């Protein structure tokens, strides 16, 4: 029998974890359905200017909310072992670490992302800027994998720690380049021109933008998930399950 990964054991662990995770996933699915149906309601051809403005504003707020919720879900990948008693129950499940890790990863990282590929009602409105797709794809992919990594390390408040670290890093970089303008001049930005030539500036190629976004996001995403997998595999019970009197 394969002790590293067995599809039957994985399915049992997945069912076990889904019984607890489904309320969070259901809320995410409901919010996502609102996003899909919102343009149909507010961006009709006979909509007035006020309705369009309110629709765009509300749509933007909900989109930001669902992205933040997705990152929260990703950071809660191992929220089930925050308390010692739940940690004992989870780590002693008759399954391998790989099966436990990938079952939670599937529910809290991959499944919410899969909602983005559900067909939605077409409204005639579309975002034709391939650079926007490129930017959103990279941010979503890398940030969500970082949320998984920080959620694995801290388990509680991982996303807050991640955001705080990113804010501190951003402020530090801005302060450094502000006080050292020469450092900006020394940066080799030739790759930016190469990227612009590859994707296109005036009429960006969506296919090339998608390939470039995938290529840029793939390396840090795989690294973050791999590191999270290693960290999880090193988690052990720190206290004995049964105390035996000497």
């Amino acid at each position: 029998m394969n002790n590293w990964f067995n599809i039957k054991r994985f399915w049992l662990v997945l069912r076990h974890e889904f019984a607890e995770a489904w309320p969070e996933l259901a809320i995410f699915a409901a919010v996502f359905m609102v996003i899909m149906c919102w343009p149909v309601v507010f961006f009709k051809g006979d909509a007035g200017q006020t309705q369009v403005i309110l629709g765009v504003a509300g749509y933007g707020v909900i989109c930001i909310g669902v992205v933040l919720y997705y990152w929260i879900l990703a950071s809660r990948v191992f929220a089930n072992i925050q308390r010692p008693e739940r940690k004992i129950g989870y780590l002693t499940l008759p399954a391998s670490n790989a099966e436990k890790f990938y079952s939670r990863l599937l529910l809290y990282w991959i499944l919410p992302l899969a909602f983005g590929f559900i067909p939605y009602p077409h409204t005639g409105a579309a975002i034709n800027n391939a650079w926007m797709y490129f930017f959103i794809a990279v941010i979503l992919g890398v940030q969500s994998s970082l949320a998984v990594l920080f959620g694995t390390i801290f388990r509680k408040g991982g996303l807050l720690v991640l955001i705080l670290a990113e804010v501190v890093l951003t402020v530090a970089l801005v302060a450094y380049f502000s006080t050292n303008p020469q450092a900006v001049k020394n940066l080799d930005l030739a790759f930016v021109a190469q990227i612009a030539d590859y994707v296109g500036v005036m009429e960006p190629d969506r296919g090339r933008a998608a390939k470039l976004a995938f290529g840029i996001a793939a390396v840090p995403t795989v690294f973050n998930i791999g590191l999270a997998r290693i960290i999880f595999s090193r988690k052990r019970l720190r206290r004995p399950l049964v105390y035996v009197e000497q």
Side-chain angles (χ1 to χ4, degrees), residues 24-36 62 66 69 115:
E24 293 178 287
L25 296 175
I27 294 174
F28 181 85
V31 175
F32 197 88
M33 290 299 294
V34 171
I35 286 181
M36 290 194 297
I62 295 178
V66 79
Y69 191 13
F115 282 106

Side-chain angles (χ1 to χ4, degrees), residues 6-241:
N6 181 277
I7 190 64
K8 292 183 179 180
R9 289 199 309 262
F10 174 75
W11 174 248
L12 292 174
V13 175
L14 187 64
R15 288 175 55 189
H16 179 273
E17 295 306 308
F18 181 77
E20 176 189 344
W22 75 264
E24 293 178 287
L25 296 175
I27 294 174
F28 181 85
V31 175
F32 197 88
M33 290 299 294
V34 171
I35 286 181
M36 290 194 297
C37 297
W38 190 283
V40 178
V41 176
F42 285 90
F43 300 147
K44 295 179 180 179
D46 58 347
Q49 183 177 3
T50 303
Q51 184 179 1
V52 170
I53 294 175
L54 292 176
V56 170
Y59 188 67
V61 170
I62 295 178
C63 285
I64 293 174
V66 79
V67 169
L68 289 175
Y69 191 13
Y70 173 53
W71 290 342
I72 291 173
L73 280 178
S75 68
R76 286 179 52 80
V77 61
F78 293 114
N80 61 327
I81 55 177
Q82 290 178 359
R83 297 196 298 268
E85 62 274 13
R86 297 186 65 188
K87 179 179 180 180
I88 291 173
Y90 182 70
L91 294 183
T92 55
L93 284 175
S96 67
N97 279 338
E99 292 156 357
K100 297 172 187 176
F101 177 83
Y102 291 117
S103 64
R104 297 286 297 186
L105 191 70
L106 176 62
L107 291 175
Y108 281 86
W109 187 54
I110 298 177
L111 184 58
L113 184 63
F115 282 106
F117 297 94
I118 297 177
Y120 56 90
H122 182 65
T123 61
I127 299 176
N128 295 318
N129 191 342
W131 288 104
M132 183 174 295
Y133 285 109
F134 161 76
F135 179 76
I136 292 175
V138 171
I139 293 297
L140 280 177
V142 176
Q143 185 74 5
S144 63
S145 65
L146 282 171
V148 171
L149 175 59
F150 275 71
T152 305
I153 297 173
F154 297 100
R155 290 177 298 187
K156 189 175 183 179
L159 184 61
L160 292 177
V161 176
L162 170 61
I163 293 176
L164 179 61
E166 291 174 336
V167 169
V168 171
L169 179 61
T170 301
V171 172
L173 289 176
V174 171
Y176 173 76
F177 286 115
S178 298
T179 55
N180 298 274
Q182 191 63 30
V184 180
K185 298 179 180 179
N186 294 332
L187 290 177
D188 185 7
L189 301 178
F191 68 95
V192 176
Q194 295 176 354
I195 292 175
D197 291 337
Y198 176 74
V199 178
V201 178
M202 301 304 296
E203 296 182 0
D205 187 305
R206 285 193 180 185
R208 290 186 174 184
K211 292 178 182 178
L212 186 62
F214 178 80
I216 293 177
V219 174
T221 298
V222 171
F223 175 81
N224 293 333
I225 298 301
L227 184 57
R229 169 73 177 90
I230 294 173
I231 292 173
F232 175 77
S233 66
R234 299 178 64 86
K235 292 186 182 297
R236 297 291 186 272
L237 294 174
R238 297 181 180 178
R239 294 183 297 179
L241 297 179

